[in-house]
């Protein structure tokens, strides 16, 4: 017999943006499918019409597309399957694993309230399962509305979870639950099982907030005579305070990070480590490497911690690893949006631009950082960072004098190249009595050239700016230093 091809699905409810937890679940399903030559399907669980929106559905598509988690086959919309879901529920009525319940919502609410008043927890008492055939037929003929309820058998329901191992629920703790409402629409668990069977899903991987649904779903598979998929329940994601991740913890939508200058590769890498460990202390991985290393053995049971600082760090790692030409495709639109350059202008001096990106990428954590750091090389005027100015230009007359000397030394250079600059500035440091502490020159000069306290090496900065612009910046700094302190 040919081995079955794994089929997995990501089944978000379109009731908000694609959030970090959903994206993590999507990624793990995707990784498993890729690793084992399977299919990754997308099902939009839009049965809750009141809360589902097209905008959320679009945000899910956009988020997955941005991350590069492409799905196979057509998107399945759960809401379009109501008829099939209903047929499946009726199959259970026909094979006697379900029964009609004529109790109204008002009656059930009353009985629930009475049970609670007695300090008992309410459980449906199966009264409609005891109706005789003739009575049922009479009520149906009279058009009395009914739901379909699943008749939970005795015993217990268990499965071997890929993450948690054996999980068992005693069936006595599960009441005869409704599978079809009076209006003929399926209840959540019914729709999920009917759809998963139809989509031939072999592995259901989802958040462990669904663990309590799984025994009910398993019972439905059995009642429908369908083969069970394997289940894997992924750990919840918590904030740094140990509480379930929510809006209180700041940005939790994937789209927010896209707009904060996070690379999709870094986001994926960060998400991959929320509940999975590739072992061997490996952290930084491309998507291809994640596919290679992915294994359910590495899935964790304990809650994963969402640390935005780690995401930034991860992004910095991915920025450093990215070839400048690839980085340019992301940074160029950002520079254009910031009004710092046009794509045509950057294309005209592509070598210079790529060299600049090589210098900036290793010091940046986000593409926004790169844009900020690139500004001094692209804009005519610079903005002085107040903190850097206060710190590096403390003695303003002294700094003005120092920069005047630096200008003279640099202006007299025959060639605008690093070795000559270094020699000139180091010998200036000697002459000024700084000994080997050339930093006393480099730091104030850095502020003069870039307005920033951090930049690539000072000689790289001088080269990238070019002679005229660099000398012009020093002149502006000297003028600024003559004015009042800021
Ligand atoms: N729609 C459910 C959710 O967004 C997922 C259901 C499932 O994966 O079975 O949590």
């Amino acid at each position: 017999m040919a081995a079955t091809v794994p089929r997995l699905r990501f089944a978000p409810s379109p009731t908000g943006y694609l959030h970090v937890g959903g994206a993590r679940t999507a990624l793990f399903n995707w990784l498993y499918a890729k690793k084992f030559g399977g299919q990754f399907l997308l099902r939009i669980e839009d049965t809750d019409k009141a809360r589902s929106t097209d905008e959320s559905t679009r945000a899910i598509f956009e988020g997955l597309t941005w991350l590069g988690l492409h799905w196979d086959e057509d998107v399945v919309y759960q809401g379009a399957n109501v008829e099939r879901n209903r047929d499946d529920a009726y199959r259970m009525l026909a094979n006697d694993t379900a029964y009609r319940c004529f109790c109204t919502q008002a009656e059930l609410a009353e009985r629930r309230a009475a049970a609670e008043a007695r300090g008992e927890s309410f459980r449906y008492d199966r009264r409609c399962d005891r109706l005789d055939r003739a009575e049922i037929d009479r009520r149906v003929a009279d058009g009395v509305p009914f739901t379909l309820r699943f008749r939970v058998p005795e015993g217990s329901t268990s499965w071997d979870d890929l993450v948690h191992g054996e999980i068992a629920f005693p069936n006595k703790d599960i009441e005869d639950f409704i599978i079809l409402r009076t209006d003929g629409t399926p209840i959540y668990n019914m729709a999920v099982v009917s759809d998963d069977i139809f989509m031939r899903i072999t592995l259901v991987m989802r958040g462990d907030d669904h663990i309590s649904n799984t025994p009910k779903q398993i019972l439905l598979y059995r009642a429908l005579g369908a083969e069970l998929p394997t289940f894997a329940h992924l750990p919840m994601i918590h904030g740094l305070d140990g509480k379930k991740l929510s809006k209180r913890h700041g940005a939790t939508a994937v789209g927010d990070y896209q707009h904060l200058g996070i690379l999709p590769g870094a986001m994926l890498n960060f998400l991959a480590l929320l509940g999975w460990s590739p072992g061997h202390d490996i952290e930084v991985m491309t998507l291809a490497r994640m596919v290679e290393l992915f294994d359910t053995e590495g899935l964790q049971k304990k809650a994963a911690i969402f640390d935005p600082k780690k995401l930034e760090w991860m992004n910095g790692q991915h920025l450093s690893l990215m070839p400048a030409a690839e980085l340019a495709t992301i940074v160029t639109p950002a520079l254009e949006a910031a009004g710092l350059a046009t794509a045509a202008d950057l294309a005209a001096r592509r070598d210079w631009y790529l060299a600049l990106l090589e210098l900036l990428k290793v010091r940046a954590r986000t593409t926004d950082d790169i844009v900020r750091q690139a500004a001094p090389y692209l804009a005519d005027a610079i903005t002085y960072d107040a903190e850097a100015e206060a710190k590096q230009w403390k003695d303003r007359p002294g700094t003005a004098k120092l920069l005047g000397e630096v200008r003279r030394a640099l202006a007299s250079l025959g060639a605008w190249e690093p070795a000559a600059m270094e020699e000139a500035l180091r010998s200036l440091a000697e002459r000024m009595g700084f000994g080997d502490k050339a930093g006393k020159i480099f730091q104030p000069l850095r502020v003069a050239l870039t307005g920033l306290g951090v930049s690539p090496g000072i000689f790289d900065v001088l080269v990238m700016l070019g002679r005229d612009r660099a000398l012009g910046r020093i002149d502006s700094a000297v003028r600024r230093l003559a004015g009042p302190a800021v």
Side-chain angles (χ1 to χ4, degrees), residues 9 11-13 45 188 192 206 210:
R9 85 307 193 269
S13 308
E45 303 213 317
Y188 172 72
V192 169
R206 58 187 170 202
H210 284 285

Side-chain angles (χ1 to χ4, degrees), residues 9-15 19 22 25 29 43-46 78 188-189 192 196 204-207 209-210 213 217 231 233:
R9 85 307 193 269
F10 172 49
S13 308
T15 52
H19 55 89
T25 299
N29 276 284
R43 180 170 74 229
I44 301 292
E45 303 213 317
D46 56 352
Q78 187 158 62
Y188 172 72
N189 282 315
V192 169
D196 281 339
V204 170
M205 206 187 311
R206 58 187 170 202
D209 49 337
H210 284 285
N213 284 321
Q217 295 184 4
F231 291 93
H233 289 93

Side-chain angles (χ1 to χ4, degrees), residues 262-284:
I262 297 289
L263 299 170
M267 189 78 208
L268 286 166
N269 194 164
F270 173 74
L271 291 172
L273 299 178
L274 294 176
W276 173 58
S277 160
H280 312 289
D281 291 330
I282 297 172
E283 286 208 301
V284 181

Side-chain angles (χ1 to χ4, degrees), residues 195-312:
D195 288 353
D196 281 339
I197 293 173
F198 178 75
M199 292 165 76
R200 291 177 285 120
I201 299 304
T202 62
L203 170 56
V204 170
M205 206 187 311
R206 58 187 170 202
D208 64 16
D209 49 337
H210 284 285
I211 284 185
S212 62
N213 284 321
T214 305
K216 292 182 185 170
Q217 295 184 4
I218 289 176
L219 290 170
L220 296 181
Y221 274 95
R222 293 207 177 113
L224 288 166
E227 202 177 318
L228 278 184
T230 305
F231 291 93
H233 289 93
L234 304 169
M236 287 290 96
I237 301 175
H238 289 174
L240 286 168
D241 57 1
K243 304 225 167 76
K244 194 171 172 229
L245 196 65
S246 75
K247 293 236 163 61
R248 281 182 299 111
H249 294 99
T252 53
V254 168
D256 293 340
Y257 289 100
Q258 177 178 3
H259 298 120
L260 287 173
I262 297 289
L263 299 170
M267 189 78 208
L268 286 166
N269 194 164
F270 173 74
L271 291 172
L273 299 178
L274 294 176
W276 173 58
S277 160
H280 312 289
D281 291 330
I282 297 172
E283 286 208 301
V284 181
M285 294 169 280
T286 60
L287 189 55
R289 184 82 178 121
M290 287 181 232
V291 172
E292 251 169 61
L293 294 171
F294 192 74
D295 197 331
T296 52
E297 297 283 298
L299 293 175
Q300 316 278 304
K301 285 188 207 154
K302 60 175 192 312
I305 304 294
F306 181 89
D307 178 358
K309 284 264 168 312
K310 174 142 187 186
L311 173 56
E312 270 201 12

Side-chain angles (χ1 to χ4, degrees), residues 331 335 338-341 349 352 356 360 367-383 449-452 465 469 473:
V331 176
L335 291 173
L340 285 167
R349 41 180 178 156
W352 173 86
L356 179 66
L360 300 184
T367 37
D368 289 6
D369 273 351
I370 296 190
V371 170
R372 239 188 328 272
Q373 292 187 39
Y377 307 89
L378 295 165
D380 286 333
I382 53 172
T383 319
L449 295 173
T450 65
L452 305 173
L465 283 173
R469 190 166 242 177
R473 288 268 161 88

